[in-house]
């Protein structure tokens, strides 16, 4: 059984979620600010959803499907968000996804966390490509992708239906060769 990693960064630590985090996850991920820009976060975010979600993380990592980590402040271990890499071993690629609580936005936290998990994905998980996508109406997320060196690859028109509305998705990617030569 592999344990989920702990990744230490400048201001943040990426660590496994624990069941003590359910309340803060419900508070932050349950905010419409996070729900409206993501495709798989339920809204309203009912009691029990965070526990059920956290309980999937160990098996998902062990079975090589998904690495999900809490984004926490180094100083006080406060959970401020979540970050993940969905792993496709057949193709050696991974999908980066994240959310940061509204009260913590625009401090560069997502950028720092994304750099940290992307480094882990290339150097430890040995992936060859990381991709990510965001809703067309969510430029802040695209900014994070650009800031970590990902390249814009294209827009899939009305690719997802969110709350009854067809939404464009914008895709970004970063290859291992680019990561090695650009040292993001
Ligand atoms: C998108 C999100 C993850 C960004 O997290 P964050 O910690 O605020 O990100 P950072 O501070 O590292 O970077 C955000 C960048 O977007 C910019 N930004 C913010 N709002 C913006 C907007 N409306 N248009 C363009 N850029 C915007 C910020 O200025 C910042 O860029 P800068 O450092 O060059 O000034 C966070 O807002 C979030 O969780 N939103 C809700 C859920 C979500 O969108 N998840 C991603 C789904 S793809």
């Amino acid at each position: 059984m592999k344990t989920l990693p702990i990744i230490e960064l400048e201001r943040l630590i990426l660590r496994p979620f624990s069941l003590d985090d359910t309340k803060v996850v419900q508070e932050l991920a349950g905010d419409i600010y996070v729900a409206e820009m993501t495709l798989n976060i339920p809204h309203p975010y009912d009691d029990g959803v965070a526990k059920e979600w956290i309980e999937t993380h160990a098996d998902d990592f062990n079975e090589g499907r998904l690495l999900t980590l809490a984004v926490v402040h180094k100083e006080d271990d406060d959970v401020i968000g979540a970050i993940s890499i969905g792993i496709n071993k057949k193709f050696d690629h991974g999908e980066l996804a994240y959310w940061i609580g509204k009260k913590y936005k625009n401090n560069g936290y997502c950028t720092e966390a994304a750099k940290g998990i992307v480094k882990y994905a290339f150097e430890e998980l040995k992936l060859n490509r990381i991709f990510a996508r965001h809703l067309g109406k969510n430029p802040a997320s695209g900014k994070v992708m650009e800031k970590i060196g990902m390249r814009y690859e294209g827009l899939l028109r009305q690719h997802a239906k969110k709350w009854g509305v067809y939404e464009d998705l914008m895709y970004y990617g970063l290859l291992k060769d680019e990561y090695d030569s650009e040292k993001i």
Side-chain angles (χ1 to χ4, degrees):
M1 179 124 167
K2 292 184 289 180
T3 41
L4 281 92
I6 295 174
I7 301 171
E8 192 171 337
L9 304 169
E10 197 188 329
R11 297 173 295 166
L12 303 171
I13 294 184
L14 312 182
R15 60 136 171 91
F17 277 98
S18 91
L19 291 182
D20 294 337
D21 301 323
T22 53
K23 218 168 166 187
V24 65
V25 168
Q26 184 175 17
E27 179 208 326
L28 299 178
D31 190 325
I32 187 104
Y33 166 76
V34 169
E36 72 185 347
M37 295 299 181
T38 49
L39 292 176
N40 297 311
I41 294 185
H43 195 76
Y45 202 100
D46 293 330
D47 290 349
V49 170
K51 177 173 183 282
E52 221 173 274
W53 177 64
I54 290 168
E55 283 173 345
T56 60
H57 295 176
D59 282 352
D60 278 347
F61 185 61
N62 265 298
E63 288 159 28
R65 283 191 296 270
L66 181 65
L67 168 61
T68 304
L69 294 170
V71 180
V72 307
H73 277 149
K74 206 182 230 183
E75 283 170 10
D76 47 21
D77 198 46
D78 276 353
V79 173
I80 67 162
I83 194 152
S84 64
I85 297 280
I87 303 162
N88 184 320
K89 282 190 168 162
K90 182 173 175 191
F91 299 132
D92 288 340
H93 71 214
E95 178 175 1
L96 170 68
Y98 41 68
W99 57 262
I100 296 290
K102 185 177 183 181
K103 61 187 168 188
Y104 302 108
K105 70 176 183 177
N106 294 338
N107 285 296
Y109 289 137
C110 190
T111 303
E112 182 176 333
K115 275 186 188 168
I117 203 165
V118 163
K119 181 176 197 293
Y120 184 86
F122 282 131
E123 296 181 7
E124 307 298 329
L125 299 176
K126 308 287 180 204
L127 297 182
N128 175 59
R129 163 181 162 79
I130 304 294
F131 73 98
R133 59 194 188 161
H134 67 83
L135 294 178
K137 63 183 180 189
N138 189 10
S141 184
K143 196 77 194 284
V144 171
M145 294 169 197
E146 280 167 15
K147 286 197 292 176
I148 67 166
M150 299 183 90
R151 302 195 182 171
Y152 176 63
E153 294 182 336
L155 180 151
L156 298 194
R157 297 173 303 150
Q158 299 190 4
H159 193 65
K161 188 158 88 170
K162 169 82 181 177
W163 295 344
V165 177
Y166 295 111
E167 299 279 358
D168 297 341
L169 290 185
M170 302 178 75
Y171 278 76
Y172 283 75
L174 181 66
L175 305 181
K176 175 72 163 58
D177 287 348
E178 293 162 352
Y179 167 80
D180 285 341
S181 60
E182 289 164 25
K183 292 277 174 262
I184 63 154

